[in-house]
């Protein structure tokens, strides 16, 4: 799966939790879920669980620690997909 | 150093489904899940422990200046509920943070400090005072950068300062 495809899928996953729609429309690799999209920190867990379901992967605790922006999340998804 | 966190309980109830499969495992350690599930009001206990972790994380973030999502490395312990006030500890690596939480019918507010005696020096920041942010960390001009903490959730906004630090 290309990074672009993952980004699109990720965009639809985070959408329900986003409070800043404009930042979502202009999503970049550097977009931060909490600071830019204004996702509530408790909903980061939902994003992580949704990502696991959507890509059929398991995100270990160490990877989860880095899942705060688009770039790291795409990288983690790519790594987990490669391990399958 | 200081950190605080407020949870709007009505909003948390609609925003988060803690009964979702895997949810508790991602943010709470086994002994914390036991505490939650054995408590009289599990949902209140979830947001109590969550706000303890968030308040402690805000101090930890200032120490490391590195952002990360580490709920499982923030270990809540020594939780003592006394009426609607709760004291506790949160450890992260070699750091120990002391927490004091006020539990209200509609919200929960936790303050974290690095020395228990600092609780006496915490006060609210007047509404007229502007709080700025640098690298995501709040501060007031002329004050030590580590002395201010802001938390906002739903209807609630808490702006606090550690005096004379």
């Amino acid at each position: 799966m290309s990074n672009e495809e993952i980004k699109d899928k990720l965009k639809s996953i985070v959408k329900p939790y986003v409070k800043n729609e404009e930042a979502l429309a202009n999503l970049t690799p550097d977009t931060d879920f909490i600071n830019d999209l204004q996702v509530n920190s408790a909903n980061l867990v939902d994003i992580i669980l949704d990502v696991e379901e959507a890509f059929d992967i398991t995100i270990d605790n160490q990877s989860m620690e880095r899942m705060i922006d688009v770039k790291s999340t795409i990288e983690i998804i790519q790594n987990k997909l490669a391990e399958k | 150093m200081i950190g605080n966190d407020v949870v709007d309980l009505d909003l948390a109830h609609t925003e988060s489904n803690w009964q979702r499969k895997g949810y508790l495992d991602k943010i709470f350690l086994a002994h914390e899940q036991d505490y939650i599930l054995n408590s009289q009001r599990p949902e209140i206990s979830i947001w109590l422990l969550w706000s303890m972790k968030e308040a402690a994380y805000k101090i930890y973030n200032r120490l490391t200046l590195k952002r990360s999502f580490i709920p499982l490395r923030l270990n809540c312990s020594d939780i003592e509920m006394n009426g609607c006030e709760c004291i506790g500890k949160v450890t992260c690596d070699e750091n120990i943070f002391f927490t004091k939480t006020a539990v209200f019918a509609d919200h929960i507010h936790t303050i974290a400090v690095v020395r228990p005696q600092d609780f006496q020096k915490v006060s609210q920041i007047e509404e007229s005072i502007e709080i700025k942010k640098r690298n995501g960390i709040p501060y007031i001009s002329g004050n030590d950068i580590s002395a201010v903490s802001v938390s906002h959730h739903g209807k609630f906004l808490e702006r606090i300062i550690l005096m004379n630090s």
Side-chain angles (χ1 to χ4, degrees):
Chain A
M1 207 180 281
S2 73
N3 282 352
E4 203 56 34
E5 285 171 299
I6 293 178
K7 195 180 101 179
D8 288 342
K9 211 164 162 179
L10 184 61
K11 205 168 166 176
S12 62
I13 288 172
V14 300
K15 199 176 188 320
Y17 311 108
V18 165
K19 297 205 179 74
N20 184 344
E21 295 285 343
E22 201 186 321
L24 182 68
N26 302 308
L27 200 77
T28 74
D30 291 322
T31 301
D32 184 292
F33 297 135
I34 291 174
N35 290 345
D36 300 322
L37 300 181
Q38 286 162 28
V39 169
N40 183 300
S41 52
N43 285 135
L44 259 191
V45 191
D46 291 294
I47 291 177
I48 291 160
L49 293 170
D50 290 347
V51 163
E52 289 190 330
E53 281 171 22
F55 294 92
D56 190 24
I57 53 176
T58 304
I59 292 161
D60 59 279
N61 296 341
Q62 225 172 350
S63 300
M64 180 175 88
E65 294 187 2
R66 297 194 292 121
M67 282 187 63
I68 54 166
D69 58 32
V70 172
K71 191 166 46 188
S72 326
T73 304
I74 291 176
E75 192 187 301
I76 289 160
I77 294 169
Q78 285 290 23
N79 288 344
K80 297 295 168 194
L81 287 175
E83 283 170 16
K84 281 218 278 187
Chain B
M1 294 233 180
I2 191 166
N4 84 336
D5 187 67
V6 64
V7 177
D8 180 327
L9 292 172
D10 291 335
L11 186 61
H13 184 75
T14 53
E15 268 183 351
S16 298
N17 171 19
W18 62 272
Q19 280 159 324
R20 176 177 184 181
K21 189 172 173 282
Y23 191 91
L24 295 181
D25 288 335
K26 291 281 188 215
I27 47 179
F28 294 113
L29 298 162
H31 74 88
E32 295 169 339
Q33 292 187 39
D34 285 344
Y35 176 86
I36 289 165
L37 298 172
N38 290 318
S39 68
Q40 285 185 339
R41 294 180 298 170
E43 188 161 323
I44 299 292
S45 300
I46 282 171
W47 301 121
L48 164 70
L49 266 61
W50 177 253
S51 75
M52 286 170 64
K53 286 179 189 242
E54 285 278 292
Y57 171 75
K58 286 183 184 168
I59 302 182
Y60 182 76
N61 178 226
R62 285 167 202 217
L63 293 170
T64 58
L65 293 176
K66 197 174 152 251
R67 290 194 49 248
S68 48
F69 186 60
I70 50 164
L72 296 174
R73 270 168 54 201
L74 295 154
N75 185 344
C76 299
S77 67
D78 303 82
I79 303 163
E80 280 178 44
M81 201 69 171
N82 191 355
C84 46
E85 196 179 89
C86 176
I87 57 163
K89 276 185 206 161
V90 180
T91 50
C92 183
D93 306 335
E94 72 283 10
N95 304 287
I96 301 175
F97 306 106
F98 298 88
T99 61
K100 198 178 255 186
T101 307
V103 181
F104 301 94
D106 54 357
H107 71 290
I108 283 177
H109 182 219
T110 298
I111 295 171
V113 294
V114 289
R115 297 174 306 181
Q117 61 267 37
D118 285 346
F119 284 126
Q120 298 161 24
K121 302 185 203 158
V122 176
S123 63
Q124 302 263 354
I125 297 170
E126 284 174 44
E127 264 178 59
S128 60
I129 296 175
E130 188 198 357
I131 297 173
K132 296 173 185 169
K133 274 194 175 185
R134 194 186 290 131
N135 300 323
I137 295 174
Y139 72 101
I140 296 173
S141 301
N143 266 292
D144 184 309
I145 189 164
S146 63
V148 173
S149 180
V150 177
S151 179
H152 179 220
H153 188 226
K155 301 187 288 290
F156 302 96
L157 174 67
E158 293 284 351
R159 309 178 345 141
I160 57 167
I161 186 163
L162 185 62
M163 306 299 281
N164 305 320
S165 58

